[in-house]
RNA sequence: GCCGACGUAGCUCAAUCGGCAGAGCACCCGCCUUGUAAGCGGGCGGUUACGAGUUCGAUUCUCGUCGUCGGCUCCA
């Protein structure tokens, strides 16, 4: 894992703590780091935000600490320098272009331009070509420290640079809008014909940027200083490496990620779809995808029931009053769908399950003996997402959370947290995910609930993480205003991070809904409340599973586990008999009865990533055996079908990755 | 929501300058009866996303709507 990925973790925490209400797993980005490399870029989006409170400043500091290493690297200089070379090429080809900022990011760099001409792929080719010429020129990068007045003269025609200079003059902010501790010096870097306001560092000369180790990737819109109130600029993304081999490797990895893209596999394997008629961000689960979901849900539900949870169900809509009490209508309204009028009353589609579980809890007077209560549900929620952010299964408008709420006494908190974490790891590991990283977010400046409670809860979280030997990062002050939390991220087969589980304390809702239980002392006490989701959203988790396995699901999860392939028509009857046999043993089997050649049937089954193919011809029929072709290409002949069944059942029972 | 690109058969994609919309796969019907990744032939399949406009004529040009993709912003 590239250490520079770490800074982005900050943005996966609640960025808007001041309005945070309850967990929102399953809707964060955090996946697709590969495709959206820049999302994880140091010095790009997040640092652009001017820190407005202690919390975000801390995040920024966290980021910068980790950035240091990358910033000191040669690769960082190469990318930074490549950005300058690109800006030179752009300004040469489009003299009217106003250049803004161009930092290195994960895997490469970008530069933003204000330019009326819309850059095309052909333009990118021309720019890239010119860049190759420039780097060959072995031009030196020369740094000069100058006064603000001199700088303003040099960049008299560059309004964005002037704005930056003014910022530097005030001493308050760097080029990304982050506050600086001391007043910075103003410096420029020159190479060949190009001069940029820049603090560096850069490589010695342009030849250190290998002409065959960089590539321009795309052009996209980006707001000046990342603020949507500002003008939209044109951003050119490029990737640059120390040597050609690294570039090749990177491009290969991109291709690999493309092949695993859950949207593509979802179509190819007929798992799910999104219909324009139904609406964007609303998922249709096809039989094969739904089969996987059922298997995952069944497994998890049983685990919950054995793990001391009580299963509950709640409706999809609720009266406005409920959401007023919960605070959602105050803080979260823009993400909720418009109310529907039912007999003169406003009802809302639910964006959260918690108020319903709270109502169940409140239905009785609770004794301290009743606690803890753990209510679990696969609750489908609806949240408005702006059209531009929707993405396959990972960012949708309707999704089902594997949600649970734990109501407990203060003295039970620690055990409950530990238990929830343990449980979470167990379920995720059962799904074939093995690499985890935890994030512990503590009390922010503004928060509700008394500090002693926070302290107790946070320590409980910390001890739980440490007890499970998880690598973790502390996000000091990064908790939601209503409570501290643990987030669990998993690393998939391509080393990409996905945020899945969250375990969050909530000191807010128990207060708002007036939750209480009667203690040993006969007095009413307020219970602790913990929100937790393991897989997050079923939709999103399915997307992660698809990409993690590349569509080749383990046997227990495969929608079709076995395809029986009769070689000729005369083997049909035997094939059906074998299939019936397997079905009776609980396997999911299909017989390929099409009038096709065996090779075609194998190819199709192989493309559908079916774990086992049973090829049946005269030989097998006469011996009452099967010939097994495994998805990995290996084969074993002359196997009694009972033996094959035993093998498959063993893999299923163990939820094994092996075939 | 914003910037840009895109939207042609179920899927993947063609279609010169504005001039009868095409291929492969899939599907259906035949033939072949197959030994570990595509056998052969034929057929069906289209309001070119939707709606306006320009034009003798629009897949092609213009505008609007919807959607998809890459980013930006957002993600309680």
């Amino acid at each position: 894992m590239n250490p520079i990925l770490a800074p982005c973790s900050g943005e996966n925490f609640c960025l808007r703590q001041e309005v945070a209400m309850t967990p929102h797993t399953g809707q964060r980005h955090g996946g697709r780091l590969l495709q959206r490399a820049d999302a994880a870029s140091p010095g790009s989006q997040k640092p652009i935000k001017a820190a407005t409170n202690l919390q975000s400043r801390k995040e920024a500091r966290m980021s910068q600490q980790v950035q240091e290493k990358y910033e000191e690297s040669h690769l960082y200089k190469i990318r930074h320098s490549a950005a300058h070379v690109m800006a030179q090429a752009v300004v040469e080809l489009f003299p009217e272009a106003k250049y803004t900022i161009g930092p290195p990011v994960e895997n490469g760099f970008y530069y933003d331009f204000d330019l009326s001409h819309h850059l095309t792929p052909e333009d990118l080719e021309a720019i890239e070509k010119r860049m190759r010429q420039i780097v060959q020129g072995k031009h030196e990068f020369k740094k000069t420290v100058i006064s603000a007045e001199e700088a303003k003269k040099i960049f008299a025609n560059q309004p964005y640079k002037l704005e930056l200079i003014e910022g530097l003059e005030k001493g308050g902010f760097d080029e990304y809008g982050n506050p600086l501790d001391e007043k910075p010096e103003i410096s420029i870097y020159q190479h060949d014909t190009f001069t940029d306001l820049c603090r560096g560092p850069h490589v010695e000369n342009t030849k250190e940027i290998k002409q065959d180790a960089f590539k321009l990737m795309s052009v996209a819109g980006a707001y000046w200083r990342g603020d949507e109130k500002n003008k939209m600029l044109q951003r050119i993304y490029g990737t640059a490496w120390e040597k050609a081999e690294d570039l090749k490797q990177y491009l290969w990895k991109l291709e690999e990620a493309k092949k695993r893209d859950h949207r593509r596999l979802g179509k190819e394997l007929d798992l799910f779809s999104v219909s324009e008629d139904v609406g964007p961000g609303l998922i249709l689960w096809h039989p094969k995808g739904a089969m996987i979901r059922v298997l995952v849900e069944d497994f998890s539900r049983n685990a919950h029931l054995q793990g001391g949870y009580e299963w509950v169900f709640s409706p999809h809509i609720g009266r406005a009053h409920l959401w007023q009490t919960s605070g959602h209508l105050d803080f979260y309204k823009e993400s909720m769908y418009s109310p529907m009028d039912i007999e003169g009353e406003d009802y809302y589609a639910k964006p959260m399950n918690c108020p319903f579980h709270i109502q169940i809890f409140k239905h009785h007077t609770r004794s301290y003996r009743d606690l803890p209560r753990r209510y679990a549900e696969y609750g489908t929620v609806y949240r408005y997402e702006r059209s531009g952010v929707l993405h396959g299964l990972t960012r949708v408008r309707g999704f089902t959370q594997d949600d649970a709420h734990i109501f407990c006494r203060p003295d039970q908190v620690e055990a409950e947290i530990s238990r929830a974490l343990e449980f979470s790891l167990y379920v995720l590991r059962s799904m074939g995910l093995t690499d985890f990283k935890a994030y512990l977010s503590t009390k922010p400046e503004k928060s509700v609930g008394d500090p002693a409670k926070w302290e107790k809860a946070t320590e409980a979280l910390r001890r739980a993480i440490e007890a499970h030997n998880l690598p973790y990062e502390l996000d000091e002050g990064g908790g939601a205003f209503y409570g501290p939390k643990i987030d669990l991220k998993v690393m998939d087969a391509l080393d990409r991070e996905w945020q899945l589980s969250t375990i969050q304390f909530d000191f807010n809702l128990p207060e708002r809904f007036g939750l209480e239980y009667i203690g040993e002392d006969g007095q009413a006490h307020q219970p602790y409340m913990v929100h937790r989701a393991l897989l997050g959203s079923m939709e999103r988790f399915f997307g992660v599973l698809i990409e993690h396995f590349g569509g080749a699901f383990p046997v227990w999860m495969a929608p079709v586990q076995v395809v029986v392939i009769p070689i000729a028509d005369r083997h049909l009857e035997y094939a059906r008999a074998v299939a019936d046999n397997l079905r009776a043993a609980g396997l999911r089997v299909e017989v390929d009865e099409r009038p096709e050649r065996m090779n075609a049937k194998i190819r199709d089954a192989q493309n559908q990533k079916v774990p086992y193919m049973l090829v049946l011809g005269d030989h097998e029929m006469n011996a009452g055996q099967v010939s097994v072709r495994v998805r990995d290409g290996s084969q074993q002949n002359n196997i009694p079908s009972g033996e094959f069944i035993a093998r498959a059942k063993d893999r299923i029972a163990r939820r094994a990755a092996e075939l």
Side-chain angles (χ1 to χ4, degrees):
Chain A
M1 195 77 231
N2 191 328
I4 60 169
L5 281 180
C8 80
S9 58
E11 83 184 276
N12 284 320
F13 300 138
C14 297
L15 287 173
R16 297 168 57 195
Q17 277 85 11
E18 45 306 322
V19 294
M21 291 302 300
T22 42
H24 47 96
T25 53
Q27 283 293 288
R28 295 170 218 211
H29 90 284
R32 302 189 53 78
L33 286 177
L34 237 128
Q35 290 91 331
R36 300 175 49 193
D38 53 289
S41 59
S44 62
Q45 302 86 324
K46 284 315 133 194
I48 283 168
K49 277 189 166 307
T52 50
N53 57 39
L54 185 70
Q55 159 56 21
S56 47
R57 227 173 291 143
K58 268 179 175 156
E59 268 184 25
R61 264 211 301 280
M62 250 179 74
S63 308
Q64 275 159 13
Q65 271 171 17
V66 191
Q67 270 176 49
E68 281 309 308
K69 290 177 194 163
Y70 178 48
E71 277 184 7
E72 286 162 13
S73 69
H74 187 55
L75 190 53
Y76 183 91
K77 291 184 197 168
I78 288 176
R79 289 170 178 168
H80 198 170
S81 305
H84 278 221
V85 171
M86 179 168 80
Q88 178 190 348
V90 169
V91 172
E92 280 179 6
L93 291 163
F94 305 95
E96 76 277 23
K98 302 299 174 202
Y99 48 106
T100 66
I101 61 166
V105 292
E106 195 211 2
N107 297 324
F109 59 91
Y110 68 79
Y111 212 114
D112 286 348
F113 302 93
D114 186 358
L115 177 62
S116 56
H117 166 76
H118 292 305
L119 293 168
T120 63
E122 292 71 44
D123 293 331
L124 284 197
E125 272 176 42
I127 295 164
E128 197 175 302
K129 194 176 158 199
R130 177 64 190 132
M131 285 174 71
R132 288 190 213 292
Q133 292 169 348
I134 296 168
V135 298
Q136 286 302 91
K138 204 174 179 181
H139 306 290
E140 252 179 69
F141 280 92
K142 204 174 116 214
K143 179 179 182 177
T144 314
V145 177
I146 56 172
S147 69
E149 285 63 42
E150 290 173 298
K152 282 183 189 170
K153 249 184 245 168
I154 294 169
F155 297 105
N157 289 322
Q158 293 295 335
Y160 296 92
K161 293 295 176 188
L162 291 177
E163 193 179 324
L164 293 173
I165 293 165
E166 271 163 37
L168 289 169
E169 251 186 314
K170 284 181 202 143
F173 302 91
D174 66 10
E175 68 263 46
Y176 309 124
N178 287 324
L180 291 170
D181 294 338
E182 51 195 74
K183 191 164 176 164
E185 63 177 22
I186 294 176
S187 62
I188 54 170
Y189 268 84
Q190 289 171 287
H191 78 273
D192 198 13
T193 63
F194 188 72
T195 303
D196 202 355
L197 180 76
C198 180
R199 68 181 163 185
H202 284 281
V203 293
E204 293 283 310
N205 66 66
T206 57
K207 198 122 194 231
E208 288 183 50
I209 306 163
K210 301 294 172 214
Q211 60 161 342
D212 54 358
F214 73 85
K215 183 174 162 60
L216 299 190
M217 305 300 284
S218 62
V219 55
Y223 300 108
W224 166 237
R225 287 193 151 163
D227 187 335
E228 66 180 320
K229 289 189 210 74
N230 290 340
K231 184 164 185 184
M232 178 74 70
L233 308 169
Q234 293 190 71
R235 171 173 298 179
I236 304 176
Y237 280 103
T239 186
W241 302 83
E242 290 189 18
K243 46 189 198 295
E245 188 52 36
D246 295 347
L247 173 65
K248 227 174 110 186
Q249 183 69 21
Y250 173 66
L251 295 177
W252 175 84
K253 211 171 171 183
L254 282 185
E255 281 307 307
E256 203 52 32
K258 226 171 169 178
K259 282 184 210 156
R260 286 169 178 258
D261 190 310
H262 69 276
R263 294 165 300 182
R264 173 191 180 135
L265 287 171
K267 205 181 273 180
E268 284 174 9
L269 305 180
D270 196 16
L271 301 173
F272 70 92
S273 66
V274 181
S275 155
E276 201 172 315
D277 290 329
V278 174
L282 301 170
I283 305 302
L284 296 167
W285 295 69
H286 295 202
K288 285 179 181 160
M291 186 71 240
I292 294 172
R293 175 166 169 177
V294 163
L295 292 161
V296 167
E297 284 186 354
D298 283 355
F299 170 80
S300 180
R301 187 188 284 109
N302 284 329
H304 275 83
L305 295 176
Q306 283 171 21
Y309 288 84
E310 297 171 287
W311 209 260
V312 299
F313 293 95
S314 64
H316 287 206
I317 61 172
R319 288 173 64 174
H321 178 71
L322 189 67
W323 308 109
Q324 273 152 14
T325 305
S326 72
H328 287 101
L329 281 178
D330 291 334
F331 298 117
Y332 192 60
K333 193 166 186 184
E334 72 282 7
S335 295
M336 291 172 67
Y337 289 101
S338 311
M340 53 202 109
D341 182 302
I342 300 177
E343 294 177 335
E345 285 282 332
D346 278 351
Y347 282 70
Y348 287 87
K350 64 174 170 182
M352 304 271 185
N353 300 302
C354 8
F356 297 94
H357 293 186
I358 285 171
Q359 294 304 317
I360 295 171
F361 181 84
K362 280 187 71 170
H363 192 74
H364 302 289
T365 303
R366 301 291 179 177
S367 153
Y368 69 95
R369 293 192 194 88
D370 292 334
L371 303 182
R373 293 256 71 88
R374 310 183 192 97
Y375 296 148
E377 172 178 14
Y378 295 141
T380 303
V381 297
Y382 295 89
R383 302 177 181 179
Y384 167 70
E385 298 279 359
R386 298 214 272 179
S387 59
V389 307
L390 298 172
H391 183 94
L393 292 171
T394 59
R395 193 81 184 265
V396 295
R397 285 179 173 162
F399 59 97
T400 303
Q401 290 180 304
D402 60 335
D403 208 359
H405 296 92
I406 300 164
F407 304 89
C408 67
R409 304 188 308 257
D411 64 288
Q412 295 171 321
V413 158
E414 183 149 357
E416 284 306 310
I417 293 300
S418 184
R419 189 188 177 108
L421 187 58
E422 173 87 37
F423 188 70
S424 184
L425 290 169
Y426 164 67
V427 172
L428 291 173
R429 285 187 177 124
S430 301
M431 299 294 160
L433 299 161
T434 50
D435 291 332
F436 306 99
K437 195 171 174 187
Y439 292 81
L440 173 61
S441 304
T442 63
K443 185 171 173 294
E445 282 269 282
K446 275 187 184 171
S447 59
V448 300
D450 89 73
K453 271 189 175 180
W454 271 86
E455 186 59 25
K456 192 173 165 114
T458 307
E459 281 316 301
L461 291 173
R462 183 200 302 275
R463 279 193 294 270
I465 295 175
E466 284 170 357
H468 288 88
N469 280 324
L470 286 173
Y472 77 99
E473 271 184 33
L474 193 64
D475 185 9
E476 201 71 57
F481 81 95
Y482 52 79
K485 61 173 179 171
I486 298 174
D487 289 321
L488 266 193
K489 294 192 187 183
V490 304
M491 249 78 98
D492 79 358
L494 284 186
D495 252 4
R496 299 171 298 181
E497 271 192 24
W498 303 85
Q499 159 129 20
L500 297 178
S501 308
T502 190
I503 301 173
Q504 307 194 350
F505 271 90
D506 188 339
F507 300 131
N508 185 46
L509 290 182
E511 171 77 37
R512 281 179 170 269
F513 280 96
L515 296 188
E516 55 183 44
Y517 67 93
I518 308 301
E520 264 179 295
D521 56 6
Q523 303 294 308
H525 299 271
Q526 198 175 87
Y528 276 40
M529 181 176 173
V530 177
H531 306 257
R532 67 71 316 189
L534 303 187
L535 311 177
S537 107
M538 300 313 298
E539 282 74 7
R540 187 166 195 283
F541 182 70
F542 188 35
V544 174
L545 276 185
I546 294 170
E547 302 214 2
H548 177 63
F549 292 118
F553 300 101
V555 184
W556 77 275
M557 227 184 243
V560 178
Q561 295 165 317
V562 186
V563 167
V564 178
I565 298 175
I567 291 177
D569 289 349
R570 64 177 178 280
H571 309 122
L572 253 178
E573 202 181 326
Y574 178 60
R576 289 180 187 135
V578 168
D580 285 344
N581 213 354
L582 301 188
R583 271 188 212 107
L587 297 176
R588 295 184 290 277
V589 191
E590 283 179 2
V591 181
D592 191 339
E593 303 198 6
R594 293 174 306 164
E596 277 292 349
R597 274 177 77 213
M598 175 204 68
N599 277 323
K601 294 177 185 179
I602 287 175
R603 181 170 191 274
D604 290 341
Q606 200 73 55
N607 283 337
Q608 286 297 302
K609 305 181 196 290
V610 176
Y612 303 115
M613 286 145 268
L614 299 189
V615 178
L616 307 182
D618 290 336
H619 187 72
E620 288 75 14
M621 189 166 68
N622 295 334
Q625 295 180 332
V626 299
S627 162
V628 184
R629 182 191 164 99
V630 186
R631 183 170 62 197
D632 63 14
S634 66
Q635 59 170 299
Q636 284 155 287
N637 300 330
N638 313 323
I639 307 285
S641 62
E643 199 175 297
F644 168 72
I645 289 172
R647 168 187 180 157
K649 287 185 79 170
D650 167 69
R651 307 298 188 264
I652 292 164
R654 292 190 290 116
R655 291 184 300 279
E658 70 195 88
L659 296 172

